[in-house]
Amino acid sequence: MNLIERRIADNRAAFSDEEESLFGVTIEPMGSPVLGRCQGREVILAGTNNYLGLTYHPELMQAAEAALHDHGTGTTGSRMANGTLPHHVALEDALKKFYDAPSALAFTTGFQANLGVIAGLCDRDGVLLLDADCHASIYDGAALSGATVYRFRHNDVADLERKLKRLQDQAGNVLVIVEGIYSMLGDTAPLAEICDVVQSYGVALMVDEAHSFGVLGATGRGLAQECGVEDQVDVVVGTFSKSAACVGGFCVSRKHDFSLLRRDMRAFVFSASLPPSVVATATAALGVMAAEPERRKNLWHNAERLYGALANMGLEVGPEISPIVAVTLNDPEGAVTAWHGLLDKGVYVNLVVPPAAPDGKSLLRCSLSAAHTDEHVNQMIDAYRSIVA
Amino acid sequence: MSELAVLERDTILRFVGEIAPDVKASSKDDIQDTIGLSSIQVLELIEMIEDEFDILFPLNDLADIRTVDELAAAVKKLRDV
Ligand SMILES: Cc1ncc(COP(=O)(O)O)c(C=O)c1O
């Protein structure tokens, strides 16, 4: 057996047919951000990260169509070569305006934004201090950078401080990374306290707002805006793949000329840029986020209802109300059964089993959308009630 | 050096016993392949070690560590500096 054959055999042995078949579940779109067809039946989509429900918004679709029609299907090049169209510059200008910040860069995915920014900022002399629950792309960016990587306990400011204290003599090389909303349990970082500690040790701070962009803050800029600490965050990374309803990543910084660092961001330099239609969609999404703040309000209304109802049923939900409502279950088989039970009741959620979920536990992870109606949320609540009973 | 890291080895074996109570682990065992800790449990073990010995353990070092003895030696080295 060669390497590839052996790896395939290992995986075949490690995963049951059940798991393999779940991986192949497809969702057929049905002309709505929150309805789809899954395993032959119509379902409410409650696990899509489509927080603002913009995937069928007429302004986004028209922008995409116009750009596709006028400028073609792809850029066929990296941002550093032929891949910078006026559209990309316009998107970065729109980001600067949205964030009221002097520097912005658009990447092809959020994953690449993390690889590019982290490995661009840190080299072998760098020291990274990551929240334990940071996303895979942050860990991969950290590994790619060659920096020394430490983690602190999830959302534990005392542990962060203890570690920063030990790293005092290297403070000039330290980058702390946290997220706005953590994707599995939907909890937020204690960002004001984190900023206090980070400031007192004089180290740099990056916040990945992937799940909080469009969701938190007076104008949807994320947790830093919500906590009033935007001036203390050195760089924000985000994605257009959730609230902005398309695909792509970005970073924004209050430091002038932060964008000069793009030369060191290999994920920016050596990958083709986003196609014009997607860039136009993302730009339009920024406009809609600003123009339709009621979407954020509706999202939180839905979050409060579902979170409250599931907590009242005695289900183990996350530590705070959030558009991500995750129920922790102790055994993976029970979780698979429950997931099928919800699907039978017409509700699609994400099933997360070990090792993706910690401590051998499993999660039924809901992400709500502004496009869910009260009736949709009622149906979700009823579906959960049926699996509890 | 690994023979000298007795305190570190015994402490790590105790922690492994707390994380995986059903396994009879020896210090020569491969932490993941033989003892069977998941990558997340390995990180949990590192947290316990960091607290116990008041050190910072770089995740980079994990790439070269297979056995409890190797981990104990790495921890001892971090404590000695
Ligand atoms: C915290 C976090 N960062 C980055 C990403 C990657 O974003 P993208 O889907 O744009 O690659 C995700 C999404 O999966 C995420 O949850």
Side-chain angles (χ1 to χ4, degrees), chain B residues 25-53:
Chain B
S26 120
S27 69
K28 304 225 171 342
D29 287 344
D30 189 301
I31 297 167
Q32 293 204 44
D33 289 352
T34 314
I35 302 175
L37 295 200
S38 68
S39 53
I40 288 172
Q41 287 173 320
V42 170
L43 293 175
E44 199 182 319
L45 176 63
I46 297 299
E47 275 181 3
M48 294 164 93
I49 291 169
E50 285 186 323
D51 287 352
E52 176 75 19
F53 294 110

Short mmCIF file of all heavy atoms in Angstrom, two decimals, chain B residues 25-53:
data_model
loop_
_atom_site.label_atom_id
_atom_site.label_comp_id
_atom_site.label_asym_id
_atom_site.label_seq_id
_atom_site.Cartn_x
_atom_site.Cartn_y
_atom_site.Cartn_z
N ALA B 25 -1.41 3.04 31.93
CA ALA B 25 -0.39 3.64 31.08
C ALA B 25 1.01 3.45 31.67
O ALA B 25 1.19 3.55 32.87
CB ALA B 25 -0.69 5.13 30.90
N SER B 26 1.96 3.20 30.78
CA SER B 26 3.36 3.19 31.21
C SER B 26 4.07 4.37 30.54
O SER B 26 3.61 4.90 29.52
CB SER B 26 4.02 1.87 30.81
OG SER B 26 5.12 2.09 29.95
N SER B 27 5.18 4.78 31.13
CA SER B 27 5.84 5.99 30.65
C SER B 27 6.46 5.81 29.27
O SER B 27 6.78 6.77 28.61
CB SER B 27 6.89 6.45 31.66
OG SER B 27 7.95 5.53 31.67
N LYS B 28 6.63 4.54 28.86
CA LYS B 28 7.20 4.31 27.52
C LYS B 28 6.12 4.31 26.44
O LYS B 28 6.41 4.25 25.26
CB LYS B 28 7.93 2.97 27.48
CG LYS B 28 9.00 2.83 28.55
CD LYS B 28 10.27 2.24 27.99
CE LYS B 28 11.44 2.28 28.96
NZ LYS B 28 11.35 3.20 30.10
N ASP B 29 4.86 4.38 26.87
CA ASP B 29 3.77 4.29 25.91
C ASP B 29 3.63 5.57 25.09
O ASP B 29 3.85 6.67 25.59
CB ASP B 29 2.43 4.07 26.65
CG ASP B 29 2.31 2.66 27.19
OD1 ASP B 29 3.08 1.79 26.74
OD2 ASP B 29 1.45 2.44 28.07
N ASP B 30 3.22 5.36 23.86
CA ASP B 30 2.88 6.48 22.99
C ASP B 30 1.56 7.10 23.50
O ASP B 30 0.56 6.41 23.67
CB ASP B 30 2.69 5.95 21.56
CG ASP B 30 2.54 7.09 20.55
OD1 ASP B 30 1.59 7.90 20.70
OD2 ASP B 30 3.35 7.14 19.62
N ILE B 31 1.60 8.41 23.75
CA ILE B 31 0.47 9.05 24.43
C ILE B 31 -0.82 8.94 23.61
O ILE B 31 -1.88 8.69 24.16
CB ILE B 31 0.80 10.54 24.71
CG1 ILE B 31 2.00 10.62 25.66
CG2 ILE B 31 -0.40 11.26 25.33
CD1 ILE B 31 2.61 12.00 25.78
N GLN B 32 -0.70 9.13 22.31
CA GLN B 32 -1.92 9.06 21.50
C GLN B 32 -2.18 7.65 20.99
O GLN B 32 -3.26 7.11 21.17
CB GLN B 32 -1.83 10.05 20.32
CG GLN B 32 -1.85 11.49 20.81
CD GLN B 32 -2.34 12.47 19.74
OE1 GLN B 32 -3.30 12.23 19.04
NE2 GLN B 32 -1.65 13.60 19.62
N ASP B 33 -1.17 7.03 20.35
CA ASP B 33 -1.42 5.75 19.68
C ASP B 33 -1.66 4.62 20.67
O ASP B 33 -2.53 3.77 20.45
CB ASP B 33 -0.25 5.39 18.76
CG ASP B 33 -0.21 6.30 17.55
OD1 ASP B 33 -1.17 7.07 17.38
OD2 ASP B 33 0.76 6.25 16.78
N THR B 34 -0.92 4.57 21.78
CA THR B 34 -1.04 3.45 22.72
C THR B 34 -2.01 3.79 23.85
O THR B 34 -2.96 3.06 24.12
CB THR B 34 0.33 3.07 23.31
OG1 THR B 34 1.27 3.02 22.25
CG2 THR B 34 0.25 1.71 24.00
N ILE B 35 -1.76 4.90 24.51
CA ILE B 35 -2.65 5.27 25.63
C ILE B 35 -4.00 5.71 25.11
O ILE B 35 -5.03 5.54 25.76
CB ILE B 35 -1.99 6.37 26.50
CG1 ILE B 35 -0.63 5.89 27.03
CG2 ILE B 35 -2.90 6.78 27.66
CD1 ILE B 35 0.17 6.91 27.79
N GLY B 36 -4.01 6.28 23.93
CA GLY B 36 -5.28 6.56 23.26
C GLY B 36 -5.88 7.93 23.58
O GLY B 36 -7.06 8.15 23.37
N LEU B 37 -5.05 8.86 24.09
CA LEU B 37 -5.61 10.21 24.32
C LEU B 37 -5.89 10.87 22.97
O LEU B 37 -5.11 10.74 22.03
CB LEU B 37 -4.62 11.10 25.09
CG LEU B 37 -4.27 10.73 26.54
CD1 LEU B 37 -3.71 11.96 27.26
CD2 LEU B 37 -5.44 10.16 27.31
N SER B 38 -7.01 11.56 22.88
CA SER B 38 -7.32 12.32 21.67
C SER B 38 -6.47 13.59 21.67
O SER B 38 -5.88 13.96 22.70
CB SER B 38 -8.80 12.70 21.66
OG SER B 38 -9.05 13.64 22.68
N SER B 39 -6.43 14.26 20.52
CA SER B 39 -5.61 15.47 20.46
C SER B 39 -6.14 16.51 21.46
O SER B 39 -5.36 17.27 22.05
CB SER B 39 -5.59 16.03 19.05
OG SER B 39 -6.91 16.19 18.58
N ILE B 40 -7.44 16.52 21.68
CA ILE B 40 -8.01 17.47 22.65
C ILE B 40 -7.61 17.08 24.08
O ILE B 40 -7.28 17.94 24.90
CB ILE B 40 -9.54 17.54 22.49
CG1 ILE B 40 -9.87 18.29 21.20
CG2 ILE B 40 -10.19 18.24 23.69
CD1 ILE B 40 -11.31 18.27 20.80
N GLN B 41 -7.57 15.79 24.36
CA GLN B 41 -7.14 15.34 25.70
C GLN B 41 -5.66 15.64 25.93
O GLN B 41 -5.26 15.94 27.05
CB GLN B 41 -7.43 13.85 25.87
CG GLN B 41 -8.92 13.56 26.03
CD GLN B 41 -9.23 12.08 26.03
OE1 GLN B 41 -8.65 11.31 25.26
NE2 GLN B 41 -10.15 11.67 26.89
N VAL B 42 -4.87 15.57 24.86
CA VAL B 42 -3.45 15.92 25.01
C VAL B 42 -3.33 17.39 25.43
O VAL B 42 -2.56 17.74 26.32
CB VAL B 42 -2.67 15.67 23.69
CG1 VAL B 42 -1.28 16.25 23.78
CG2 VAL B 42 -2.62 14.18 23.38
N LEU B 43 -4.15 18.24 24.83
CA LEU B 43 -4.10 19.67 25.18
C LEU B 43 -4.57 19.89 26.63
O LEU B 43 -4.05 20.75 27.33
CB LEU B 43 -4.95 20.48 24.20
CG LEU B 43 -4.38 20.50 22.77
CD1 LEU B 43 -5.33 21.21 21.81
CD2 LEU B 43 -3.01 21.16 22.73
N GLU B 44 -5.53 19.08 27.04
CA GLU B 44 -6.00 19.14 28.43
C GLU B 44 -4.84 18.75 29.38
O GLU B 44 -4.61 19.41 30.40
CB GLU B 44 -7.15 18.14 28.57
CG GLU B 44 -8.07 18.31 29.74
CD GLU B 44 -9.13 17.19 29.73
OE1 GLU B 44 -9.63 16.83 28.64
OE2 GLU B 44 -9.41 16.66 30.83
N LEU B 45 -4.12 17.71 28.98
CA LEU B 45 -2.96 17.27 29.77
C LEU B 45 -1.92 18.39 29.86
O LEU B 45 -1.35 18.64 30.93
CB LEU B 45 -2.37 16.02 29.09
CG LEU B 45 -1.08 15.43 29.66
CD1 LEU B 45 -1.30 14.94 31.10
CD2 LEU B 45 -0.57 14.28 28.79
N ILE B 46 -1.70 19.07 28.74
CA ILE B 46 -0.72 20.17 28.74
C ILE B 46 -1.17 21.29 29.70
O ILE B 46 -0.36 21.85 30.44
CB ILE B 46 -0.54 20.73 27.30
CG1 ILE B 46 0.04 19.66 26.36
CG2 ILE B 46 0.32 21.98 27.29
CD1 ILE B 46 1.39 19.13 26.77
N GLU B 47 -2.47 21.57 29.71
CA GLU B 47 -2.98 22.59 30.65
C GLU B 47 -2.68 22.19 32.09
O GLU B 47 -2.25 23.01 32.90
CB GLU B 47 -4.50 22.73 30.51
CG GLU B 47 -4.94 23.67 29.42
CD GLU B 47 -6.47 23.81 29.33
OE1 GLU B 47 -7.20 23.22 30.16
OE2 GLU B 47 -6.92 24.53 28.41
N MET B 48 -2.91 20.91 32.40
CA MET B 48 -2.67 20.45 33.77
C MET B 48 -1.18 20.57 34.12
O MET B 48 -0.81 20.98 35.22
CB MET B 48 -3.14 18.99 33.92
CG MET B 48 -4.65 18.83 33.76
SD MET B 48 -5.14 17.10 33.47
CE MET B 48 -5.46 16.57 35.14
N ILE B 49 -0.34 20.23 33.16
CA ILE B 49 1.11 20.29 33.38
C ILE B 49 1.55 21.75 33.57
O ILE B 49 2.35 22.06 34.46
CB ILE B 49 1.86 19.66 32.17
CG1 ILE B 49 1.62 18.15 32.14
CG2 ILE B 49 3.34 19.97 32.23
CD1 ILE B 49 2.09 17.47 30.85
N GLU B 50 1.01 22.64 32.75
CA GLU B 50 1.38 24.06 32.86
C GLU B 50 1.03 24.60 34.25
O GLU B 50 1.80 25.33 34.85
CB GLU B 50 0.65 24.89 31.78
CG GLU B 50 1.24 24.72 30.39
CD GLU B 50 0.61 25.66 29.36
OE1 GLU B 50 -0.62 25.91 29.43
OE2 GLU B 50 1.34 26.15 28.49
N ASP B 51 -0.15 24.21 34.73
CA ASP B 51 -0.57 24.69 36.05
C ASP B 51 0.30 24.09 37.15
O ASP B 51 0.77 24.80 38.05
CB ASP B 51 -2.04 24.30 36.31
CG ASP B 51 -3.00 25.16 35.49
OD1 ASP B 51 -2.52 26.12 34.85
OD2 ASP B 51 -4.20 24.86 35.49
N GLU B 52 0.51 22.80 37.08
CA GLU B 52 1.23 22.09 38.14
C GLU B 52 2.66 22.62 38.28
O GLU B 52 3.14 22.86 39.38
CB GLU B 52 1.24 20.59 37.82
CG GLU B 52 2.04 19.73 38.78
CD GLU B 52 1.34 19.51 40.11
OE1 GLU B 52 0.10 19.71 40.16
OE2 GLU B 52 2.02 19.13 41.09
N PHE B 53 3.34 22.80 37.15
CA PHE B 53 4.76 23.16 37.20
C PHE B 53 4.99 24.66 36.95
O PHE B 53 6.14 25.10 36.92
CB PHE B 53 5.55 22.34 36.18
CG PHE B 53 5.58 20.86 36.50
CD1 PHE B 53 4.89 19.95 35.72
CD2 PHE B 53 6.27 20.39 37.62
CE1 PHE B 53 4.89 18.60 36.02
CE2 PHE B 53 6.28 19.04 37.93
CZ PHE B 53 5.59 18.14 37.13
#
